[in-house]
Amino acid sequence: MHLILLGPPGAGKGTQAIALAERWQIPHISTGDILRQAIEDKTDLGIQARSHLEAGELVPDNVMMSLMRKRFAQPDMAKGWILDGFPRTLPQAKALDELLAIFQQPSPKVIYFEVTTGLLINRLMKMGRQDDTVDVIRRRIDIYQQETQPLIEYYEQRLCLTTINGNLPVAEVAHALSGLGEKETSGQASFIPSETEFDSLLAEAPLLVVDFTATWCGPCKLVAPLIDRLAGEYGTASAQTASAQGANAQQPVNIFKLDLDNNQAVAKRYGVKGIPTVMFFKGGELQETLVGVQTYEAYSEVVSKLSS
């Protein structure tokens, strides 16, 4: 599981992140914890971060990304992670995309905790920071929302954002989040982060389906849920069924999306001129291409034919 939890101060994302990380046995990454540890260890990055914090300034993106890169280089990040409150701005999100490509990590799911301002104020007042007043808290919330709105829109366009009602009690929010791990294993199509990972999949996967898409493409948004459905039927879940059925079962299929804007070299290699375009590969060779919005049955028919 690769998960980003976003939400304003007091939304409760930290509490949920700790619980989910324990359930899935993956790291919970809080930028506050990373900063505190770097400052305590008196690393070069920690010294830089401390100077900005003591001056009442935000830690610059380049310092934060350097700290994040060091964290992603640690072995425990390979099997999954939860980012708590990061990225906070659109530039950080784009820098994170580049970082994930470097480490060949899949695109994450993003959960946004939506909470009314009045409830946030009540929660934060109870937490009792010494300098907090209603006006100070309201200003913090306003700043967060102004900074984060472009980020929310960015992930909405990439079709990876889920909004959670953070007004609910902690237990009810936890219940709403409880199915995330099961959804991932049931087979939603993830994004291929880089040309390198595409080539690796092409070389290793007997059958590969790639949906060439883009965040600005309206028709792509109609195809995306069909590709997710395809992944659910023929991807991870069907692979487990095939294993149980033996040699006569259909081959499992690797089904992914690929962001055209971030992977133009792959699109150019295969002459992609219009999107949405879905390509079907077998044994590393392109077998069939469907351009435009097709029916689910059209995609399924090609997969069934190639996997039988």
Side-chain angles (χ1 to χ4, degrees):
M1 174 61 72
H2 303 80
L3 188 66
I4 294 173
L5 300 186
L6 301 178
K13 57 188 181 296
T15 299
Q16 299 296 340
I18 292 169
L20 291 173
E22 183 175 348
R23 172 188 292 179
W24 296 327
Q25 293 297 293
I26 56 177
H28 162 222
I29 311 302
S30 163
T31 51
D33 291 343
I34 287 178
L35 285 169
R36 281 189 289 273
Q37 189 63 53
I39 291 170
E40 182 179 326
D41 293 343
K42 298 182 180 179
T43 65
D44 290 342
L45 290 171
I47 292 169
Q48 291 181 56
R50 181 173 183 173
S51 67
H52 289 284
L53 292 173
E54 289 180 344
E57 302 168 349
L58 292 175
V59 176
D61 286 347
N62 66 321
V63 175
M64 279 308 313
M65 292 313 302
S66 294
L67 287 166
M68 293 300 292
R69 179 165 183 154
K70 289 175 70 70
R71 185 64 183 89
F72 268 83
Q74 296 178 21
D76 64 337
M77 297 292 281
K79 63 179 181 179
W81 36 261
I82 299 173
L83 296 185
D84 173 6
F86 183 89
R88 179 165 174 164
T89 64
L90 186 54
Q92 286 182 355
K94 292 181 177 180
L96 177 61
D97 288 342
E98 295 175 3
L99 187 64
L100 295 179
I102 291 170
F103 286 96
Q104 298 187 19
Q105 295 259 0
S107 297
K109 297 180 184 295
V110 183
I111 306 297
Y112 177 61
F113 289 66
E114 190 172 55
V115 187
T116 57
T117 300
L119 183 55
L120 289 173
I121 291 173
N122 287 340
R123 288 178 179 175
L124 292 171
M125 287 296 289
K126 289 178 181 178
M127 291 179 185
R129 264 177 46 167
Q130 193 170 11
D131 59 344
D132 276 350
T133 65
V134 170
D135 288 341
V136 168
I137 291 173
R138 190 182 296 276
R139 178 61 179 158
R140 284 170 59 199
I141 295 169
D142 288 344
I143 290 172
Y144 178 87
Q145 291 173 339
Q146 290 168 15
E147 291 179 340
T148 309
Q149 188 56 41
L151 180 61
I152 300 303
E153 294 171 358
Y154 177 70
Y155 285 126
E156 281 180 334
Q157 290 172 349
R158 296 187 62 174
L159 306 176
C160 61
L161 181 79
T162 299
T163 299
I164 292 286
N165 182 1
N167 294 319
L168 298 172
V170 171
E172 292 186 38
V173 174
H175 178 72
L177 293 169
S178 62
L180 287 174
E182 289 75 11
K183 286 181 181 178
E184 178 158 290
T185 58
S186 70
Q188 284 199 355
S190 300
F191 277 87
I192 300 174
S194 67
E195 183 178 7
T196 300
E197 183 161 331
F198 172 84
D199 288 337
S200 177
L201 286 167
L202 197 63
E204 297 173 4
L207 294 172
L208 176 65
V209 179
V210 180
D211 172 21
F212 289 82
T213 184
T215 57
W216 44 264
C217 169
C220 295
K221 296 179 182 179
L222 301 176
V223 172
L226 304 183
I227 299 302
D228 286 338
R229 180 181 169 189
L230 203 69
E233 181 172 348
Y234 292 95
T236 305
S238 63
Q240 296 168 351
T241 302
S243 177
Q245 291 175 344
N248 294 327
Q250 292 183 326
Q251 298 181 54
V253 187
N254 292 266
I255 301 174
F256 289 88
K257 301 168 188 171
L258 189 142
D259 190 327
L260 185 69
D261 291 333
N262 295 331
N263 295 277
Q264 293 185 7
V266 176
K268 185 177 180 180
R269 188 196 309 179
Y270 290 99
V272 177
K273 296 181 179 178
I275 52 174
T277 290
V278 179
M279 291 187 173
F280 302 80
F281 300 85
K282 186 171 184 177
E285 299 294 330
L286 178 62
Q287 302 294 318
E288 195 157 342
T289 301
L290 296 180
V291 180
V293 180
Q294 307 288 329
T295 64
Y296 175 75
E297 288 71 23
Y299 300 120
S300 179
E301 182 179 346
V302 177
V303 172
S304 182
K305 177 179 67 176
L306 293 176
S307 61
S308 60

